[in-house]
Amino acid sequence: KMAEKQEEPSNAQNGEPDNAEEGEEKKKKKVKREDLPPFEIVTGERLPAIFFKFQFRNVEYSSGRNKTFLCYVLESQGKESVTSRGYLEDEHAAAHAEMAFFNTILPKCESSLRYNVTWYVSSSPCVTCADRITETLKKNKNLRLTIMVGRLFMWEEPEMQAALKNMKSAGCKLRIMKPQDFEYVWQNFVEQEEGEEAKSFVPWEDIQENFQYYEEKLAEIL
C-alpha cells in the first residue's frame, strides 16, 4: 500500500538513477570526485523545492533516493544564545552529509560552549555515519544532537539496528519527522519562488501513515 506513487518527478530529473540497486552500488563506489566545487557552507542558502519534494518524501520504497540532504539548526549556549542554520548534501561534500557536518561545522564550535544541534535529514544515517555520530557524542559532552529523519535507511539489517541503538545510548535523540516537521523544513530551508507569497506546505497523501509506519519500526528497533 505504500509503494511509490506515479506522480513523482522522474528520477532522471533529479539526476538520480532509476534503478535503486544501481544507486546503492554507485554509493559504495563513490570516491572523492575532483571536479566537485570546494565544499563550503552557505548559511541562508535554501534547497530547491523539487529536491525537497522528492528526497524528503517519507515513502517506504525509496527508489532513486540515494542522496542525503541534511538541514541543521545549531544553537550555542554561552553568555547569549546564537542560532545558525544551513543545509548540506552529499554531493558538495565528497562525503556523506553527516560526516560533512562533523568535518566542517563542528570544528568551528568552541569546546567551552554547549551546543544543541537538530538535524532534519531525508533518511537515517548509514552504519558508518551512525558509528561516527556515536563516537562524536561520546567525545563531546557539550553536544546534544537530535536527528529528525524522513525515512529509515536499511532498518531491517541487524548491523544497522545495532548502530542505531548505539547512537541512542550515546545520547542521540532519533525521531521520525511528523507532518509538522516537514512543514518546518519547507518554511525554513526550501527556496520560495521570488516575489511570491511564501507558498504553504502541501502534505502528500500518505504522509501521516508513512510517519506512523516508520515510527513503529523505530520504536521496535530502539
Side-chain angles (χ1 to χ4, degrees), residues 108-214:
K108 295 179 188 156
C109 297
E110 294 170 47
S111 54
S112 58
L113 297 180
R114 289 184 58 154
Y115 290 91
N116 281 331
V117 178
T118 306
W119 290 353
Y120 294 88
V121 198
S122 40
S123 71
S124 58
C126 67
V127 172
T128 312
C129 288
D131 291 346
R132 175 74 187 271
I133 291 165
T134 301
E135 221 172 280
T136 306
L137 287 172
K138 283 180 176 163
K139 271 191 224 143
N140 300 294
K141 292 297 173 206
N142 288 345
L143 178 65
R144 299 265 174 282
L145 179 62
T146 302
I147 306 180
M148 313 292 292
V149 303
R151 302 184 297 278
L152 290 175
F153 173 69
M154 297 187 69
W155 54 268
E156 285 135 324
E157 304 288 325
E159 195 189 3
M160 190 71 254
Q161 296 185 359
L164 294 177
K165 285 182 181 141
N166 290 342
M167 274 169 49
K168 183 188 178 182
S169 56
C172 178
K173 292 194 173 83
L174 188 60
R175 304 275 184 271
I176 305 294
M177 285 170 70
K178 299 181 163 83
Q180 300 88 295
D181 298 314
F182 288 105
E183 184 168 10
Y184 175 82
V185 171
W186 174 260
Q187 287 168 350
N188 290 282
F189 294 100
V190 176
E191 283 171 3
Q192 303 293 342
E193 296 294 311
E194 285 296 309
E196 283 186 35
E197 286 295 298
K199 281 201 182 118
S200 57
F201 172 65
V202 182
W204 40 93
E205 193 188 337
D206 42 9
I207 190 169
Q208 180 66 27
E209 293 91 281
N210 293 356
F211 156 67
Q212 286 163 335
Y213 170 83
Y214 279 123

Side-chain angles (χ1 to χ4, degrees), residues 4-10 57 205:
E4 287 284 30
K5 295 278 186 296
Q6 286 310 304
E7 70 272 16
E8 286 295 3
S10 84
R57 226 173 136 155
E205 193 188 337

